Amino acid sequence: MNRSIDTNCVQAGYEPKSGEPRVLPIVQSTTYKYETSADMAKLFDFEGEGYFYTRLANPTNDAVAAKITALEGGVAGVLTASGMAATFMAVFNIVSCGDHIVSSNSIYGGTFNLFAVTMKRMGIDVTFVSPDATEEELNAAFRPNTKVMFGESIANPALTVLDIELFAKVAHAHGVPLIIDNTFATPINCRPFQWGADIVVHSTSKYMDGHACALGGAIVDSGRFDWTKYPEKYACLTTPDESYHGIVYTEKFGVEMAYITKLTAQLMRDLGPVAAPHNAFLLNLGLESLHVRIPRHCANALAVAKYLQANEDVAWVQYAGLPGDKYYERAQKYMPNGTCGVISFGLKSGRAGAEKFMAGLKLAAIVTHVADARTCILHPASTTHRQMSDQELLDAGVPGDMMRLSVGIEDVNDIIADIENALACARG
């Protein structure tokens, strides 16, 4: 049955049978019992269905991954312990020492550091490109050993909107998949697979959880990238995996399931960033109201953005849902129903004024988090992006005076009153 995304938020992933719990159960167990060794051996040979160790798979986790997969319109998905784990696993599943990545430079600071520092130490190189690069400029970034192209649908915290269709076109012209981090937009507002993306990742700790309760990440595969067209480039999927009985993933599971199966059977086995079942349970509770919360976040954020834009103390405002914003037209193409609840802005009084402003807030909290039900704020240059140089900050669209305001779902009049009071403090 084809159901709307709103219904899938509530219903997808878990369908209890007669007499089973109505609410998704937490399977808080590391192991699963079998009558014979032969029964368990079938699982290790991919010849049977079931569970044997939660590091590889867990019923609670699988149900929530299936829900997110349905929301994104993919064919297979998996949960991870954090959003960073999801990004790393999604890329590392198909790259290795000596390979190359092309990535938008307007991405989350932790992801930038993952690519530029940590994965570089693993022998994996990266070329960063502007999210506004032309097709010719994007083509120039590719090398014979490029394996992945990466970007964020809405960048954290720069709020640039990626031209997903263009990036997908260029990636496919070079025979590589496009991975999109869709954390800020969520599948409620943007579905990257519809625009040519191949794999989507999420930090589920943000809007999907919605309450800042549980760390988590998710990876969803569209099942559309044909790894067998490039057997030498993606030998990890098209040749025998000697660490797992010599299985050839594309032969055993087909193009649709090869990528996620390998990620689970090999990387989750070896690296172990599995989601805790209790965290998956909490995530599912958040997902059940995602379709209700996101429109409220967007409506509140647009009202706050308009207020800031009209205020004489504010130097600039960036919010792609705001008419006149640099990315407004692009956002109308990819996310016509709204973007997200996060606004970036700066004061005419600069960084010093920003510090006074943030100290004057009472309702909004200064936290190293974003995109949950409560309004919060952060100064990225001194926190999440502090590892970047001044030039890297500018390249990533994160000027030193930027404040990232995550507008919650409180009464918008209370949020604006809090901002108004903080602006008065900044003048003092």
Short mmCIF file of all heavy atoms in Angstrom, two decimals, residues 104-109 112 128-132 152 154-161 184 316-319 325-327 342-346 378-381 384-385 388-405:
data_model
loop_
_atom_site.label_atom_id
_atom_site.label_comp_id
_atom_site.label_asym_id
_atom_site.label_seq_id
_atom_site.Cartn_x
_atom_site.Cartn_y
_atom_site.Cartn_z
N SER A 104 31.36 19.25 -1.22
CA SER A 104 31.05 20.66 -1.02
C SER A 104 31.84 21.16 0.18
O SER A 104 32.03 20.43 1.17
CB SER A 104 29.55 20.84 -0.77
OG SER A 104 29.28 22.14 -0.30
N ASN A 105 32.32 22.39 0.13
CA ASN A 105 33.04 22.93 1.28
C ASN A 105 32.10 23.54 2.31
O ASN A 105 32.51 23.88 3.42
CB ASN A 105 34.10 23.96 0.85
CG ASN A 105 33.51 25.18 0.15
OD1 ASN A 105 32.32 25.45 0.23
ND2 ASN A 105 34.35 25.91 -0.57
N SER A 106 30.84 23.65 1.96
CA SER A 106 29.85 24.21 2.87
C SER A 106 29.13 23.06 3.56
O SER A 106 28.03 22.64 3.18
CB SER A 106 28.85 25.08 2.10
OG SER A 106 27.97 25.74 2.98
N ILE A 107 29.79 22.53 4.58
CA ILE A 107 29.29 21.37 5.31
C ILE A 107 29.55 21.56 6.80
O ILE A 107 30.26 22.49 7.21
CB ILE A 107 29.94 20.05 4.84
CG1 ILE A 107 31.48 20.14 4.92
CG2 ILE A 107 29.48 19.69 3.43
CD1 ILE A 107 32.21 18.85 4.55
N TYR A 108 28.98 20.70 7.60
CA TYR A 108 29.19 20.72 9.05
C TYR A 108 30.68 20.65 9.37
O TYR A 108 31.43 19.91 8.73
CB TYR A 108 28.43 19.53 9.65
CG TYR A 108 28.70 19.28 11.11
CD1 TYR A 108 28.50 20.27 12.06
CD2 TYR A 108 29.16 18.04 11.55
CE1 TYR A 108 28.74 20.03 13.40
CE2 TYR A 108 29.40 17.78 12.88
CZ TYR A 108 29.20 18.80 13.81
OH TYR A 108 29.45 18.56 15.14
N GLY A 109 31.10 21.41 10.37
CA GLY A 109 32.52 21.48 10.71
C GLY A 109 33.13 20.14 11.06
O GLY A 109 34.28 19.85 10.71
N PHE A 112 33.75 18.34 7.81
CA PHE A 112 34.92 18.94 7.15
C PHE A 112 36.20 18.38 7.75
O PHE A 112 37.12 17.97 7.03
CB PHE A 112 34.87 20.46 7.31
CG PHE A 112 35.94 21.20 6.56
CD1 PHE A 112 35.67 21.75 5.32
CD2 PHE A 112 37.23 21.35 7.07
CE1 PHE A 112 36.65 22.43 4.60
CE2 PHE A 112 38.21 22.02 6.38
CZ PHE A 112 37.92 22.56 5.14
N PHE A 128 37.66 20.03 -1.97
CA PHE A 128 36.45 20.76 -1.59
C PHE A 128 36.07 21.73 -2.71
O PHE A 128 36.94 22.39 -3.29
CB PHE A 128 36.67 21.52 -0.28
CG PHE A 128 36.77 20.63 0.92
CD1 PHE A 128 37.99 20.40 1.52
CD2 PHE A 128 35.64 20.03 1.44
CE1 PHE A 128 38.09 19.58 2.64
CE2 PHE A 128 35.72 19.20 2.56
CZ PHE A 128 36.95 18.98 3.15
N VAL A 129 34.78 21.80 -2.98
CA VAL A 129 34.27 22.68 -4.02
C VAL A 129 33.16 23.54 -3.44
O VAL A 129 32.53 23.20 -2.44
CB VAL A 129 33.73 21.87 -5.22
CG1 VAL A 129 34.83 21.08 -5.90
CG2 VAL A 129 32.59 20.93 -4.79
N SER A 130 32.91 24.66 -4.07
CA SER A 130 31.83 25.54 -3.64
C SER A 130 30.48 24.90 -3.95
O SER A 130 30.32 24.27 -4.99
CB SER A 130 31.94 26.89 -4.36
OG SER A 130 30.74 27.65 -4.17
N PRO A 131 29.50 25.08 -3.06
CA PRO A 131 28.16 24.58 -3.38
C PRO A 131 27.55 25.32 -4.56
O PRO A 131 26.56 24.86 -5.15
CB PRO A 131 27.37 24.85 -2.09
CG PRO A 131 28.09 25.98 -1.44
CD PRO A 131 29.53 25.77 -1.76
N ASP A 132 28.15 26.44 -4.93
CA ASP A 132 27.67 27.23 -6.06
C ASP A 132 28.56 27.07 -7.29
O ASP A 132 28.46 27.85 -8.25
CB ASP A 132 27.60 28.71 -5.67
CG ASP A 132 26.70 28.94 -4.47
OD1 ASP A 132 25.64 28.29 -4.39
OD2 ASP A 132 27.06 29.76 -3.60
N GLU A 152 25.59 18.60 1.49
CA GLU A 152 24.48 18.71 2.43
C GLU A 152 23.33 19.43 1.75
O GLU A 152 23.53 20.47 1.11
CB GLU A 152 24.90 19.45 3.69
CG GLU A 152 25.97 18.71 4.48
CD GLU A 152 26.39 19.42 5.77
OE1 GLU A 152 25.78 20.47 6.10
OE2 GLU A 152 27.31 18.94 6.44
N ILE A 154 20.88 21.18 3.05
CA ILE A 154 21.00 22.50 3.67
C ILE A 154 22.20 22.42 4.59
O ILE A 154 22.23 21.60 5.51
CB ILE A 154 19.75 22.89 4.48
CG1 ILE A 154 18.49 22.84 3.62
CG2 ILE A 154 19.92 24.28 5.08
CD1 ILE A 154 17.22 23.12 4.40
N ALA A 155 23.19 23.26 4.34
CA ALA A 155 24.44 23.14 5.09
C ALA A 155 24.30 23.64 6.52
O ALA A 155 23.62 24.63 6.79
CB ALA A 155 25.55 23.91 4.38
N ASN A 156 24.97 22.96 7.41
CA ASN A 156 25.03 23.32 8.83
C ASN A 156 26.42 23.90 9.12
O ASN A 156 27.41 23.19 9.01
CB ASN A 156 24.79 22.07 9.68
CG ASN A 156 24.97 22.32 11.16
OD1 ASN A 156 24.99 23.46 11.61
ND2 ASN A 156 25.10 21.24 11.93
N PRO A 157 26.52 25.19 9.50
CA PRO A 157 25.47 26.17 9.79
C PRO A 157 25.30 27.22 8.71
O PRO A 157 24.54 28.16 8.88
CB PRO A 157 26.01 26.84 11.05
CG PRO A 157 27.48 26.94 10.77
CD PRO A 157 27.84 25.66 9.99
N ALA A 158 26.01 27.10 7.57
CA ALA A 158 26.02 28.16 6.57
C ALA A 158 24.66 28.34 5.90
O ALA A 158 24.35 29.39 5.36
CB ALA A 158 27.08 27.88 5.51
N LEU A 159 23.81 27.28 5.93
CA LEU A 159 22.47 27.31 5.35
C LEU A 159 22.46 27.50 3.84
O LEU A 159 21.47 27.94 3.26
CB LEU A 159 21.61 28.39 6.03
CG LEU A 159 21.43 28.22 7.54
CD1 LEU A 159 20.51 29.31 8.10
CD2 LEU A 159 20.88 26.85 7.89
N THR A 160 23.57 27.17 3.19
CA THR A 160 23.56 27.11 1.74
C THR A 160 22.69 25.94 1.31
O THR A 160 22.63 24.90 1.98
CB THR A 160 24.97 26.93 1.18
OG1 THR A 160 25.56 25.77 1.79
CG2 THR A 160 25.85 28.13 1.49
N VAL A 161 22.01 26.09 0.19
CA VAL A 161 21.17 25.03 -0.36
C VAL A 161 21.89 24.45 -1.57
O VAL A 161 22.24 25.18 -2.50
CB VAL A 161 19.78 25.57 -0.76
CG1 VAL A 161 18.94 24.47 -1.42
CG2 VAL A 161 19.06 26.12 0.47
N PHE A 184 19.17 18.66 8.02
CA PHE A 184 18.39 19.87 8.31
C PHE A 184 17.05 19.89 7.59
O PHE A 184 16.04 20.29 8.16
CB PHE A 184 19.21 21.11 7.92
CG PHE A 184 20.02 21.68 9.06
CD1 PHE A 184 20.28 20.94 10.20
CD2 PHE A 184 20.54 22.95 8.98
CE1 PHE A 184 21.03 21.46 11.25
CE2 PHE A 184 21.29 23.50 10.02
CZ PHE A 184 21.54 22.75 11.16
N TRP A 316 22.91 41.32 8.88
CA TRP A 316 22.53 40.41 7.81
C TRP A 316 21.78 39.21 8.38
O TRP A 316 21.94 38.86 9.56
CB TRP A 316 23.77 39.92 7.03
CG TRP A 316 24.81 39.21 7.87
CD1 TRP A 316 25.84 39.78 8.56
CD2 TRP A 316 24.88 37.81 8.14
NE1 TRP A 316 26.55 38.83 9.25
CE2 TRP A 316 25.99 37.60 9.00
CE3 TRP A 316 24.12 36.71 7.74
CZ2 TRP A 316 26.36 36.34 9.47
CZ3 TRP A 316 24.48 35.44 8.20
CH2 TRP A 316 25.59 35.28 9.05
N VAL A 317 20.96 38.62 7.54
CA VAL A 317 20.21 37.41 7.89
C VAL A 317 20.29 36.44 6.74
O VAL A 317 20.14 36.83 5.58
CB VAL A 317 18.72 37.73 8.17
CG1 VAL A 317 17.97 36.45 8.55
CG2 VAL A 317 18.57 38.77 9.26
N GLN A 318 20.53 35.18 7.06
CA GLN A 318 20.50 34.14 6.02
C GLN A 318 19.50 33.07 6.41
O GLN A 318 19.63 32.41 7.44
CB GLN A 318 21.88 33.52 5.80
CG GLN A 318 21.90 32.54 4.62
CD GLN A 318 23.29 32.18 4.17
OE1 GLN A 318 24.28 32.72 4.65
NE2 GLN A 318 23.38 31.25 3.25
N TYR A 319 18.49 32.93 5.58
CA TYR A 319 17.47 31.90 5.76
C TYR A 319 16.85 31.65 4.41
O TYR A 319 16.22 32.54 3.82
CB TYR A 319 16.42 32.34 6.78
CG TYR A 319 15.37 31.29 7.05
CD1 TYR A 319 15.72 30.09 7.67
CD2 TYR A 319 14.04 31.47 6.67
CE1 TYR A 319 14.77 29.11 7.92
CE2 TYR A 319 13.09 30.51 6.91
CZ TYR A 319 13.45 29.32 7.54
OH TYR A 319 12.51 28.34 7.77
N ASP A 325 16.53 35.95 -0.16
CA ASP A 325 17.73 35.24 0.24
C ASP A 325 18.44 34.67 -0.99
O ASP A 325 17.79 34.31 -1.98
CB ASP A 325 17.38 34.10 1.20
CG ASP A 325 18.60 33.37 1.74
OD1 ASP A 325 19.14 33.81 2.77
OD2 ASP A 325 19.01 32.37 1.12
N LYS A 326 19.76 34.60 -0.91
CA LYS A 326 20.55 34.11 -2.04
C LYS A 326 20.08 32.74 -2.52
O LYS A 326 20.12 32.43 -3.71
CB LYS A 326 22.02 34.05 -1.63
CG LYS A 326 22.95 33.47 -2.70
CD LYS A 326 24.39 33.44 -2.21
CE LYS A 326 25.31 32.84 -3.26
NZ LYS A 326 26.72 32.77 -2.80
N TYR A 327 19.61 31.90 -1.59
CA TYR A 327 19.23 30.54 -1.94
C TYR A 327 17.72 30.33 -2.00
O TYR A 327 17.25 29.19 -2.05
CB TYR A 327 19.87 29.55 -0.95
CG TYR A 327 21.37 29.53 -1.07
CD1 TYR A 327 22.17 30.24 -0.18
CD2 TYR A 327 21.99 28.84 -2.10
CE1 TYR A 327 23.55 30.24 -0.31
CE2 TYR A 327 23.36 28.84 -2.24
CZ TYR A 327 24.14 29.54 -1.34
OH TYR A 327 25.51 29.55 -1.48
N VAL A 342 16.43 26.65 11.22
CA VAL A 342 17.70 27.26 11.61
C VAL A 342 17.96 28.52 10.79
O VAL A 342 17.81 28.53 9.57
CB VAL A 342 18.87 26.25 11.43
CG1 VAL A 342 20.18 26.87 11.91
CG2 VAL A 342 18.58 24.97 12.20
N ILE A 343 18.36 29.58 11.49
CA ILE A 343 18.66 30.87 10.88
C ILE A 343 20.09 31.24 11.24
O ILE A 343 20.55 31.03 12.37
CB ILE A 343 17.72 31.97 11.43
CG1 ILE A 343 16.27 31.63 11.12
CG2 ILE A 343 18.08 33.34 10.88
CD1 ILE A 343 15.29 32.50 11.89
N SER A 344 20.81 31.82 10.29
CA SER A 344 22.13 32.41 10.57
C SER A 344 22.01 33.92 10.44
O SER A 344 21.36 34.42 9.52
CB SER A 344 23.19 31.88 9.60
OG SER A 344 23.43 30.51 9.83
N PHE A 345 22.65 34.66 11.35
CA PHE A 345 22.61 36.12 11.27
C PHE A 345 23.78 36.72 12.03
O PHE A 345 24.46 36.04 12.82
CB PHE A 345 21.28 36.67 11.81
CG PHE A 345 21.09 36.54 13.29
CD1 PHE A 345 21.29 37.63 14.13
CD2 PHE A 345 20.71 35.34 13.86
CE1 PHE A 345 21.10 37.52 15.51
CE2 PHE A 345 20.52 35.21 15.23
CZ PHE A 345 20.72 36.31 16.06
N GLY A 346 24.03 37.99 11.76
CA GLY A 346 25.09 38.73 12.45
C GLY A 346 24.60 40.12 12.80
O GLY A 346 23.69 40.65 12.17
N LEU A 378 24.07 29.28 18.98
CA LEU A 378 25.49 28.91 19.06
C LEU A 378 26.29 29.88 18.21
O LEU A 378 25.78 30.42 17.22
CB LEU A 378 25.68 27.48 18.54
CG LEU A 378 27.02 26.80 18.85
CD1 LEU A 378 27.14 26.50 20.34
CD2 LEU A 378 27.16 25.50 18.06
N HIS A 379 27.55 30.08 18.62
CA HIS A 379 28.50 30.86 17.82
C HIS A 379 29.47 29.87 17.19
O HIS A 379 30.44 29.45 17.82
CB HIS A 379 29.24 31.88 18.70
CG HIS A 379 30.19 32.74 17.94
ND1 HIS A 379 31.54 32.73 18.16
CD2 HIS A 379 29.97 33.62 16.93
CE1 HIS A 379 32.13 33.57 17.33
NE2 HIS A 379 31.20 34.13 16.58
N PRO A 380 29.24 29.46 15.94
CA PRO A 380 30.01 28.36 15.34
C PRO A 380 31.52 28.59 15.28
O PRO A 380 32.30 27.66 15.49
CB PRO A 380 29.42 28.24 13.93
CG PRO A 380 28.05 28.78 14.05
CD PRO A 380 28.15 29.89 15.04
N ALA A 381 31.95 29.82 14.98
CA ALA A 381 33.39 30.07 14.80
C ALA A 381 34.19 29.76 16.05
O ALA A 381 35.37 29.40 15.96
CB ALA A 381 33.62 31.51 14.37
N THR A 384 31.73 24.80 17.10
CA THR A 384 31.70 23.66 16.19
C THR A 384 32.70 23.77 15.05
O THR A 384 33.13 22.77 14.50
CB THR A 384 30.30 23.48 15.58
OG1 THR A 384 29.90 24.72 14.95
CG2 THR A 384 29.29 23.13 16.66
N HIS A 385 33.08 25.01 14.68
CA HIS A 385 33.99 25.21 13.54
C HIS A 385 35.33 25.81 13.97
O HIS A 385 36.05 26.36 13.15
CB HIS A 385 33.32 26.11 12.49
CG HIS A 385 32.23 25.45 11.70
ND1 HIS A 385 31.09 24.97 12.29
CD2 HIS A 385 32.11 25.19 10.37
CE1 HIS A 385 30.30 24.45 11.36
NE2 HIS A 385 30.90 24.56 10.19
N MET A 388 38.77 25.36 12.16
CA MET A 388 39.01 25.93 10.84
C MET A 388 39.78 27.23 10.92
O MET A 388 39.64 28.00 11.89
CB MET A 388 37.68 26.19 10.11
CG MET A 388 36.92 24.96 9.69
SD MET A 388 35.47 25.45 8.71
CE MET A 388 34.84 23.85 8.24
N SER A 389 40.58 27.49 9.89
CA SER A 389 41.26 28.78 9.77
C SER A 389 40.25 29.85 9.37
O SER A 389 39.13 29.53 8.96
CB SER A 389 42.36 28.71 8.71
OG SER A 389 41.79 28.53 7.42
N ASP A 390 40.65 31.13 9.46
CA ASP A 390 39.75 32.21 9.07
C ASP A 390 39.32 32.06 7.61
O ASP A 390 38.15 32.28 7.28
CB ASP A 390 40.44 33.57 9.27
CG ASP A 390 40.60 33.92 10.75
OD1 ASP A 390 39.92 33.28 11.58
OD2 ASP A 390 41.41 34.81 11.06
N GLN A 391 40.26 31.69 6.75
CA GLN A 391 39.92 31.53 5.34
C GLN A 391 38.99 30.34 5.12
O GLN A 391 38.04 30.41 4.33
CB GLN A 391 41.18 31.35 4.50
CG GLN A 391 40.92 31.34 2.98
CD GLN A 391 40.24 32.61 2.50
OE1 GLN A 391 40.69 33.72 2.79
NE2 GLN A 391 39.13 32.46 1.77
N GLU A 392 39.24 29.24 5.84
CA GLU A 392 38.36 28.08 5.72
C GLU A 392 36.96 28.41 6.21
O GLU A 392 35.97 27.94 5.64
CB GLU A 392 38.94 26.90 6.50
CG GLU A 392 40.16 26.25 5.84
CD GLU A 392 40.80 25.19 6.71
OE1 GLU A 392 40.62 25.24 7.95
OE2 GLU A 392 41.50 24.32 6.16
N LEU A 393 36.87 29.22 7.26
CA LEU A 393 35.57 29.65 7.75
C LEU A 393 34.82 30.43 6.67
O LEU A 393 33.63 30.18 6.41
CB LEU A 393 35.72 30.52 9.00
CG LEU A 393 36.07 29.79 10.30
CD1 LEU A 393 36.43 30.79 11.39
CD2 LEU A 393 34.91 28.92 10.77
N LEU A 394 35.52 31.35 6.03
CA LEU A 394 34.88 32.14 4.97
C LEU A 394 34.48 31.26 3.80
O LEU A 394 33.39 31.40 3.24
CB LEU A 394 35.82 33.25 4.51
CG LEU A 394 36.05 34.38 5.52
CD1 LEU A 394 37.13 35.34 5.00
CD2 LEU A 394 34.75 35.15 5.79
N ASP A 395 35.37 30.33 3.42
CA ASP A 395 35.07 29.42 2.32
C ASP A 395 33.84 28.57 2.61
O ASP A 395 33.08 28.21 1.71
CB ASP A 395 36.27 28.52 2.02
CG ASP A 395 37.43 29.27 1.40
OD1 ASP A 395 37.22 30.39 0.91
OD2 ASP A 395 38.56 28.73 1.43
N ALA A 396 33.67 28.22 3.88
CA ALA A 396 32.55 27.37 4.29
C ALA A 396 31.28 28.18 4.56
O ALA A 396 30.25 27.62 4.93
CB ALA A 396 32.92 26.55 5.51
N GLY A 397 31.37 29.50 4.40
CA GLY A 397 30.20 30.34 4.63
C GLY A 397 29.90 30.55 6.10
O GLY A 397 28.74 30.71 6.49
N VAL A 398 30.96 30.55 6.93
CA VAL A 398 30.78 30.71 8.37
C VAL A 398 31.64 31.88 8.85
O VAL A 398 32.71 31.70 9.42
CB VAL A 398 31.19 29.41 9.13
CG1 VAL A 398 30.85 29.53 10.61
CG2 VAL A 398 30.50 28.20 8.53
N PRO A 399 31.21 33.13 8.62
CA PRO A 399 31.98 34.27 9.07
C PRO A 399 32.06 34.33 10.60
O PRO A 399 31.23 33.75 11.30
CB PRO A 399 31.20 35.47 8.51
CG PRO A 399 29.82 34.96 8.27
CD PRO A 399 29.98 33.52 7.90
N GLY A 400 33.07 35.04 11.09
CA GLY A 400 33.32 35.06 12.52
C GLY A 400 32.20 35.63 13.36
O GLY A 400 32.08 35.31 14.54
N ASP A 401 31.34 36.48 12.76
CA ASP A 401 30.26 37.08 13.54
C ASP A 401 28.96 36.28 13.48
O ASP A 401 27.96 36.66 14.08
CB ASP A 401 30.00 38.51 13.06
CG ASP A 401 29.47 38.57 11.63
OD1 ASP A 401 29.66 37.60 10.88
OD2 ASP A 401 28.86 39.60 11.27
N MET A 402 28.98 35.16 12.75
CA MET A 402 27.75 34.39 12.56
C MET A 402 27.23 33.79 13.86
O MET A 402 27.97 33.19 14.64
CB MET A 402 27.96 33.26 11.56
CG MET A 402 26.77 32.31 11.44
SD MET A 402 27.12 30.83 10.47
CE MET A 402 27.04 31.50 8.83
N MET A 403 25.94 33.94 14.08
CA MET A 403 25.24 33.21 15.13
C MET A 403 24.25 32.26 14.48
O MET A 403 23.56 32.65 13.52
CB MET A 403 24.52 34.17 16.08
CG MET A 403 25.45 34.94 17.00
SD MET A 403 24.57 36.10 18.06
CE MET A 403 24.22 37.43 16.91
N ARG A 404 24.20 31.03 14.97
CA ARG A 404 23.27 30.04 14.44
C ARG A 404 22.11 29.90 15.43
O ARG A 404 22.30 29.41 16.54
CB ARG A 404 23.98 28.70 14.26
CG ARG A 404 23.10 27.60 13.67
CD ARG A 404 23.82 26.26 13.66
NE ARG A 404 24.00 25.74 15.01
CZ ARG A 404 24.65 24.60 15.31
NH1 ARG A 404 25.20 23.90 14.34
NH2 ARG A 404 24.76 24.19 16.55
N LEU A 405 20.96 30.37 15.03
CA LEU A 405 19.77 30.34 15.87
C LEU A 405 18.86 29.21 15.41
O LEU A 405 18.38 29.21 14.27
CB LEU A 405 19.03 31.67 15.79
CG LEU A 405 17.72 31.77 16.57
CD1 LEU A 405 17.99 31.69 18.08
CD2 LEU A 405 16.99 33.07 16.23
#
